[in-house]
């Protein structure tokens, strides 16, 4: 083979090798910072929903060394005059599972969150560190960090930071209640946290079948043990009364807590309905406004004995939740 043919063959087989005399491409130029860049600059996934609602998927609200980035999905109503109230949703899953896009028997929870946004709320659905990743209080630290991130970016997302609600079910109900009740308690913040006073506080809370008293929950279990709580609290052997108390929302109740809506099925075998009764009793004793709905005959996640019973219970809970958030966070109400 001649030298010319050999060069041509190599150029065709290896595009990166130019033939003799060919013009070199211009040097490629990329943005370069002065220091290593750790932020995720992949374009945020944007989804359009009915009614002009827009959602942003996987928005990073916190980065902690040694852990995956913590994210929220954010649902925003159509742009209009004035900022909107914020609702932070916290998912369940026994503190060891779950994600931002499910709850109970709802077949399309993101669409439900978009519907809430369409009624005039900015809605964020929270990802937090699970028990296998970090023991308590990492989970409530994440909830507080998310609230501070969202309020700190109020102009970007169209949020009125003075009108904030929190909502969660099961493990998410526990974390929502604890977040709402621990306003101003720096003991639940990560060491070294610097934040404006009250930046983690909310003005309304909706709790679906949540845990209020770990000691009472454990005592109700066979043998006085609760495996899910032990995983959350990182107990080696039986958890102590002090550990139970530190993670129990009822420990933090005082008269300054925001209004609560509690919803629970009377046949719940995962989190006994007695937990909501305990929370309701102590909230009322402290003078905190509290509404409660106990749905007869349904289990955890509002699962009934028939699909129709499950549907009725789920829709009742969803409508009551939306109505409560409007009543407590709409500007005309909040201004009173």
């Amino acid at each position: 083979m001649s030298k010319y043919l050999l060069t041509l063959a190599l150029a065709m087989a290896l595009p990166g090798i130019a033939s003799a005399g060919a013009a070199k491409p211009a040097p490629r130029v990329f943005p370069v910072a002065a220091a290593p860049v750790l932020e995720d600059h992949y374009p945020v996934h944007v989804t359009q929903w009915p009614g002009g609602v827009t959602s942003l998927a996987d928005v990073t609200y916190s980065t902690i060394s040694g852990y995956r980035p913590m994210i929220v999905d954010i649902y925003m109503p159509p742009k209009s005059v004035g900022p909107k109230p914020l609702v932070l949703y916290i998912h369940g899953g026994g503190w060891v599972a779950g994600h931002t896009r499910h709850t109970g028997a709802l077949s399309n929870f993101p669409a439900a969150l978009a519907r809430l946004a369409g009624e005039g709320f900015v809605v964020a659905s929270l990802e937090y560190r699970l028990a296998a990743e970090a023991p308590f209080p990492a989970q409530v630290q994440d909830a507080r960090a998310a609230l501070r991130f969202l309020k700190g970016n109020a102009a970007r997302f169209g949020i009125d930071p003075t009108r904030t609600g929190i909502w969660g079910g099961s493990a998410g109900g526990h974390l929502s209640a604890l977040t709402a009740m621990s306003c101003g308690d720096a003991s639940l913040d990560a060491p070294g946290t610097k934040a404006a006073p009250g930046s983690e506080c909310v003005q309304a809370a909706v709790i679906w079948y949540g845990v209020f008293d770990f000691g009472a929950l454990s005592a109700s279990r066979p043998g006085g043990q609760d495996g899910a709580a032990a995983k959350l609290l990182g107990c080696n052997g039986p958890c102590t009364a002090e550990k139970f108390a530190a993670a129990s929302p009822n420990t933090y109740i005082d008269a300054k807590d925001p209004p609560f809506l509690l919803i629970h099925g009377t046949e719940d075998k995962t989190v006994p309905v007695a937990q909501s009764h305990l929370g309701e009793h102590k909230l009322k004793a402290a003078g905190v406004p509290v509404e409660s709905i106990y749905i007869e005959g349904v289990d955890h996640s509002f699962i009934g004995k028939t699909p129709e019973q499950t549907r009725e219970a789920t829709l009742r809970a969803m409508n009551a939740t939306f109505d409560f958030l409007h009543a407590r966070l709409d500007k005309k109400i909040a201004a009173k």
Side-chain angles (χ1 to χ4, degrees), residues 48-54 76-79 114 117-119:
Q48 302 293 331
W49 301 88
V53 171
T54 302
M76 296 171 290
K79 290 185 178 180
E119 294 189 14

Side-chain angles (χ1 to χ4, degrees), residues 75-122:
Y75 301 77
M76 296 171 290
K79 290 185 178 180
S80 59
V81 178
K84 302 299 183 184
L86 166 69
V87 175
L88 180 68
Y89 176 79
I90 306 182
H91 71 78
W95 307 282
V96 296
H99 55 79
T100 60
R101 297 163 192 167
H102 80 97
T103 194
L106 284 165
S107 58
N108 188 343
F109 190 52
L113 295 179
R115 173 66 180 269
L116 181 58
E119 294 189 14
F121 298 87
V122 176

Side-chain angles (χ1 to χ4, degrees), residues 200-272:
E200 77 287 355
C201 299
V202 302
Q203 287 71 53
V206 180
I207 312 302
W208 288 7
Y209 38 84
V211 175
F212 286 87
D213 186 325
F214 275 109
L217 180 66
S218 182
S220 72
R221 303 300 198 203
Q225 295 293 319
D226 186 88
K231 289 178 182 177
L232 173 69
L233 303 180
C235 301
N236 294 317
C239 292
T240 64
E242 290 75 19
K243 277 205 168 186
F244 280 148
S248 294
N250 275 4
T251 301
Y252 300 85
I253 291 177
D254 62 36
K256 298 188 296 296
D257 290 336
F260 272 75
L261 171 63
L262 312 181
I263 310 181
H264 213 131
T266 62
E267 301 299 319
D268 197 320
K269 299 177 185 63
T270 302
V271 178

Side-chain angles (χ1 to χ4, degrees), residues 1-15 17-19:
M1 181 181 291
S2 69
K3 184 176 180 180
Y4 171 79
L5 291 176
L6 178 61
T7 302
L8 179 62
L10 286 170
M12 293 176 65
L14 303 171
I17 301 178
S19 59

Side-chain angles (χ1 to χ4, degrees), residues 18-294:
S19 59
K24 293 183 178 180
R28 295 166 181 82
V29 178
F30 305 95
V32 178
V37 177
L38 300 179
E39 294 83 0
D40 181 356
H41 288 285
Y42 190 86
V44 173
H45 181 64
V46 180
T47 301
Q48 302 293 331
W49 301 88
V53 171
T54 302
S55 66
L56 304 176
D58 301 336
V59 178
T60 298
Y61 69 84
S62 176
T63 53
I64 304 170
S65 179
Y67 299 96
R68 60 194 168 98
M70 293 292 105
I71 57 174
V72 287
D73 292 341
I74 303 174
Y75 301 77
M76 296 171 290
K79 290 185 178 180
S80 59
V81 178
K84 302 299 183 184
L86 166 69
V87 175
L88 180 68
Y89 176 79
I90 306 182
H91 71 78
W95 307 282
V96 296
H99 55 79
T100 60
R101 297 163 192 167
H102 80 97
T103 194
L106 284 165
S107 58
N108 188 343
F109 190 52
L113 295 179
R115 173 66 180 269
L116 181 58
E119 294 189 14
F121 298 87
V122 176
V123 184
S125 189
L126 179 74
E127 200 79 54
Y128 55 89
R129 284 172 288 174
L130 302 174
E133 298 175 280
F136 180 85
Q139 298 72 28
V140 72
Q141 289 171 357
D142 291 344
R144 290 158 78 100
L147 286 169
R148 287 163 174 154
F149 167 80
L150 292 161
K151 292 179 184 183
N153 287 274
R156 174 184 172 190
F157 300 123
I159 292 168
D160 178 352
T162 67
R163 294 184 290 150
T164 299
I166 196 164
W167 165 29
S170 196
H174 159 254
L175 295 173
S176 296
L178 183 56
T179 301
M181 293 171 179
S182 63
C183 168
D185 191 331
S187 70
L188 290 174
D189 276 327
T193 297
K194 295 180 180 179
S199 57
E200 77 287 355
C201 299
V202 302
Q203 287 71 53
V206 180
I207 312 302
W208 288 7
Y209 38 84
V211 175
F212 286 87
D213 186 325
F214 275 109
L217 180 66
S218 182
S220 72
R221 303 300 198 203
Q225 295 293 319
D226 186 88
K231 289 178 182 177
L232 173 69
L233 303 180
C235 301
N236 294 317
C239 292
T240 64
E242 290 75 19
K243 277 205 168 186
F244 280 148
S248 294
N250 275 4
T251 301
Y252 300 85
I253 291 177
D254 62 36
K256 298 188 296 296
D257 290 336
F260 272 75
L261 171 63
L262 312 181
I263 310 181
H264 213 131
T266 62
E267 301 299 319
D268 197 320
K269 299 177 185 63
T270 302
V271 178
V273 68
Q275 284 290 309
S276 284
H277 289 309
L278 288 169
E280 179 185 15
H281 175 76
K282 193 158 186 181
L283 285 164
K284 286 181 175 178
V288 178
V290 56
E291 302 172 34
S292 57
I293 299 174
Y294 299 108

